[in-house]
Amino acid sequence: MQQIAVISDIHGNIPALQAVLDDISRRGITTLYCLGDLVGKGPNPAESVDRIRDVCELVIMGNWDHLMAKPNGNEDLRWHQRRLGEERLDWLKTLPFSHDFTMSGKRIRLFHASPVSVYTRVQPWDSLDSRLAMFNNTDRTGAPYGESLPDVVGYGDIHNAYMQNLKGRTLFNTGSVGNPLDMASASYAVLEGALGDQDAAPFSIQLLRVPYDIELAVNMAEQARMPQLEPYVRELRTARYRGLKDE
């Protein structure tokens, strides 16, 4: 049996990332996958990229990674781009869209947001058809299992950890390490099973929450004088998305 830690949506939040990496290490897990959005929002995109490159066997492209790697006239984005530098921006361009593998006889697919685009957002309360479409083979994912679809799909993007059984298939979201928007603690997933095994064997998915020093992260953002500081700090402290209207 092998364990894989699946993390996502770091968003330049180093205190949250370090807390999650410490928890993964305490559990003795040595294989880490990242589902994208290393950058954007938070004050330390360069440090986030460097750390993820060091510890993750697989890194998938997120929407912020894709957006940041392109020329952009938006000064807020350019602030992050300047901190990243050309070499890291070039590396972000090379990240794959998705990854397929087998574990305990289950066909597993990982991507950032959906099988059609890093910008297509699917929430746990969306229609059943929308959630079932997350298992589709597309031009972006290819069809590595032939006509068969994956049994398990994992993704990030929405910063909202959950797991659902949908007509015998499992859809899960890791939540966010650095910008959780369901509760104010970092989130990640652990897959456990027989990696690469085509035969049925015990298999599990855990969703874990890790507390971290939010005020340290706030202080780092303030010291960096980063753009969009106020909404970022509010999100960290309240886990409430900045786009929601006050009730």
Side-chain angles (χ1 to χ4, degrees), residues 32-229:
L32 283 72
Y33 293 170
C34 180
L35 305 189
D37 274 10
L38 288 63
V39 300
K41 288 196 169 188
N44 296 109
E47 294 86 346
S48 177
V49 166
D50 292 347
R51 193 78 177 100
I52 292 299
R53 290 170 79 172
D54 282 343
V55 301
C56 290
E57 182 176 310
L58 168 75
V59 185
I60 285 171
M61 181 179 288
N63 55 294
W64 276 91
D65 309 316
H66 182 264
L67 183 66
M68 205 69 68
K70 300 188 299 182
N72 201 294
N74 182 295
E75 186 54 36
D76 289 351
L77 292 180
R78 287 170 61 83
W79 185 92
H80 292 273
Q81 289 174 327
R82 287 192 294 270
R83 294 177 81 88
L84 283 162
E86 288 302 321
E87 191 276 334
R88 294 184 187 89
L89 291 170
D90 287 342
W91 178 78
L92 290 175
K93 296 175 186 177
T94 70
L95 299 180
F97 179 81
S98 61
H99 178 68
D100 290 86
F101 62 103
T102 302
M103 194 175 209
S104 293
K106 295 186 179 297
R107 301 179 294 264
I108 300 173
R109 175 171 294 157
L110 303 174
F111 44 67
H112 179 69
S114 82
V116 295
S117 169
V118 295
Y119 296 101
T120 299
R121 186 152 292 161
V122 177
Q123 297 283 3
W125 50 80
D126 285 348
S127 71
L128 178 61
D129 285 346
S130 294
R131 285 173 286 141
L132 286 173
M134 294 287 274
F135 298 90
N136 289 348
N137 295 323
T138 68
D139 291 341
R140 300 302 307 272
T141 65
Y145 310 118
E147 294 183 2
S148 298
L149 302 179
D151 304 299
V152 177
V153 162
Y155 70 115
D157 183 57
I158 60 173
H159 303 201
N160 187 343
Y162 76 94
M163 182 162 45
Q164 296 177 349
N165 182 281
L166 302 173
K167 296 189 175 182
R169 303 182 190 276
T170 301
L171 180 65
F172 76 93
N173 190 284
T174 64
S176 171
V177 169
N179 187 220
L181 297 175
D182 48 2
M183 63 178 72
S185 60
S187 178
Y188 75 103
V190 172
L191 309 184
E192 184 172 11
L195 184 61
D197 201 327
Q198 303 292 326
D199 297 325
F203 173 77
S204 68
I205 304 171
Q206 281 185 285
L207 298 177
L208 298 108
R209 308 301 302 218
V210 181
Y212 74 97
D213 192 338
I214 292 174
E215 292 311 308
L216 174 59
V218 168
N219 182 258
M220 293 174 74
E222 290 173 341
Q223 291 296 317
R225 299 182 180 180
M226 55 171 275
Q228 299 295 316
L229 175 63

